[in-house]
Amino acid sequence: MRQIYFCSVLLLCPLVTLAQEAKFKLAPYVNATTSIKEGLIEAGPEMSWEKVEQGKTFTIRPVIRMPLTNEAENVLQIDRFTSTWKSVLAAQFTKDNTQASGNISRHSFTGQFEYGHAKFTYFPSGNAAVEASNGEDSYAFEIKYTGFFTKGQSGAAQYSPQFRLRYAYDWQASSEVSVLNAANTGGFVTVSDLIVDPPSVQPIFSPAFSLQIYPGKGNFSYSPTVYYDFTGNIGDNGPFGDLNRLRLETWIFFYPSVTDSPNVKIGISPFLSIRTKGMDSFNRAEYGGMITLKFGTSFLQFL
């Protein structure tokens, strides 16, 4: 946690002077994501300093991200015994160059630091009665640019190029394997799915680029996106190891007109993942599709 306190001091010191000249806003920030396997929630304050006449906005968002779903007990619980958490400190600077007339343009730069702890349980002997556990610390750095460009007229096309650089040192649990149990009193042999190996970590450096396009009319926008992941060797800190993958996505987003729930965003995309270097447990070329549903979002929020 020492790194987070240090970053907070560096970010807040320059704002003492800025706060005397700018409008200050403080609002709660809550974001939740769910999947079939787990649920996550992140919450914290969002602090913004605005200089409206100069088109400048500086935002700081310190949040805590925690899991909500306990699969074994089928309950949602957060308390002092929670062993898995992640803290996130994000700072964003936006410069809006829009004038009373003419083209509209906006540039936004974001830096983010993440630090977290997770507890992993596994059964090295293949016996469900004998377990072991490891507590590991993970961290990540991310910088991102988001632009917005359009003509200052009704029905004009809108473009938002987005570029992201991310480095993550994130511990992951090993995969489950099928283990034969000892025969019971009736002579029957059963199989259990257990994690027998300890967690491992492979650092990843992931550049990404997306060009979001709204034609100016209708309820659809389009976002061709490319990712390129450099994956380091197990246990190393450097991300440039023996595995690289290229991933292509072509999103189509639909914005339905919902009166009670504004800013609803439904997306669908095919994807193609190609291994360009090394070996992993996947095929050289993997493909499939994705669907997303978001509330309270906007055209600019993607990477």
Side-chain angles (χ1 to χ4, degrees):
M1 298 297 291
R2 195 179 306 168
Q3 295 95 327
I4 298 177
Y5 297 144
F6 178 68
C7 292
S8 300
V9 172
L10 291 180
L11 289 170
L12 290 174
C13 284
L15 297 178
V16 176
T17 302
L18 178 61
Q20 297 175 355
E21 305 173 358
K23 295 181 179 180
F24 173 72
K25 294 182 179 180
L26 177 62
Y29 172 83
V30 178
N31 182 39
T33 60
T34 59
S35 66
I36 295 175
K37 292 185 177 181
E38 64 180 6
L40 293 173
I41 187 169
E42 57 182 22
E46 182 176 87
M47 299 168 283
S48 296
W49 289 261
E50 295 181 344
K51 299 183 74 172
V52 179
E53 68 282 358
Q54 297 183 14
K56 297 179 180 179
T57 303
F58 188 85
T59 303
I60 293 180
R61 186 188 299 126
V63 301
I64 294 292
R65 184 185 302 160
M66 290 185 175
L68 286 179
T69 303
N70 185 325
E71 293 181 74
E73 301 177 6
N74 195 29
V75 297
L76 305 179
Q77 180 173 308
I78 296 177
D79 57 23
R80 66 187 178 90
F81 299 105
T82 301
S83 59
T84 300
W85 54 267
K86 181 171 288 186
S87 57
V88 182
L89 178 62
Q92 177 177 314
F93 174 74
T94 301
K95 179 66 170 68
D96 194 333
N97 297 320
T98 305
Q99 302 297 322
S101 61
N103 293 337
I104 297 173
S105 65
R106 187 181 306 131
H107 305 275
S108 180
F109 302 89
T110 304
Q112 181 168 301
F113 173 70
E114 304 171 12
Y115 180 83
H117 181 83
K119 181 181 179 181
F120 300 91
T121 301
Y122 58 101
F123 307 88
S125 64
N127 185 348
V130 181
E131 70 175 40
S133 61
N134 283 6
E136 304 291 353
D137 296 334
S138 300
Y139 58 89
F141 303 91
E142 180 176 304
I143 57 174
K144 182 170 62 177
Y145 165 77
T146 300
F148 178 75
F149 307 95
T150 186
K151 295 181 179 179
Q153 59 188 41
S154 177
Q158 302 175 20
Y159 302 94
S160 176
Q162 301 189 15
F163 182 72
R164 186 207 67 188
L165 293 175
R166 179 177 176 83
Y167 170 86
Y169 188 85
D170 195 10
W171 286 85
Q172 300 292 332
S174 298
S175 301
E176 290 184 337
V177 297
S178 297
V179 177
L180 288 175
N181 299 317
N184 58 21
T185 56
F188 295 100
V189 177
T190 59
V191 176
S192 298
D193 291 332
L194 298 175
I195 298 176
V196 298
D197 294 320
S200 61
V201 59
Q202 288 182 275
I204 297 177
F205 176 63
S206 178
F209 176 77
S210 177
L211 177 60
Q212 300 214 86
I213 304 169
Y214 174 64
K217 297 181 180 179
N219 291 23
F220 291 89
S221 69
Y222 310 92
S223 300
T225 305
V226 57
Y227 300 85
Y228 197 86
D229 292 345
F230 299 88
T231 303
N233 300 322
I234 294 178
D236 289 348
N237 290 314
F240 303 108
D242 298 327
L243 177 62
N244 296 343
R245 269 196 173 270
L246 172 70
R247 182 182 177 95
L248 304 173
E249 301 173 1
T250 54
W251 284 95
I252 300 176
F253 292 107
F254 173 61
Y255 305 84
S257 300
V258 182
T259 304
D260 297 331
S261 300
N263 299 328
V264 178
K265 187 176 183 179
I266 303 172
I268 184 171
S269 172
F271 72 85
L272 174 65
S273 177
I274 302 174
R275 187 177 63 237
T276 60
K277 178 184 177 182
M279 294 295 296
D280 57 14
S281 58
F282 300 99
N283 294 324
R284 184 174 185 274
E286 294 280 357
Y287 57 89
M290 297 173 291
I291 298 176
T292 182
L293 172 62
K294 295 184 178 181
F295 299 89
T297 186
S298 71
F299 168 69
L300 294 176
Q301 293 173 317
F302 185 69
L303 288 180

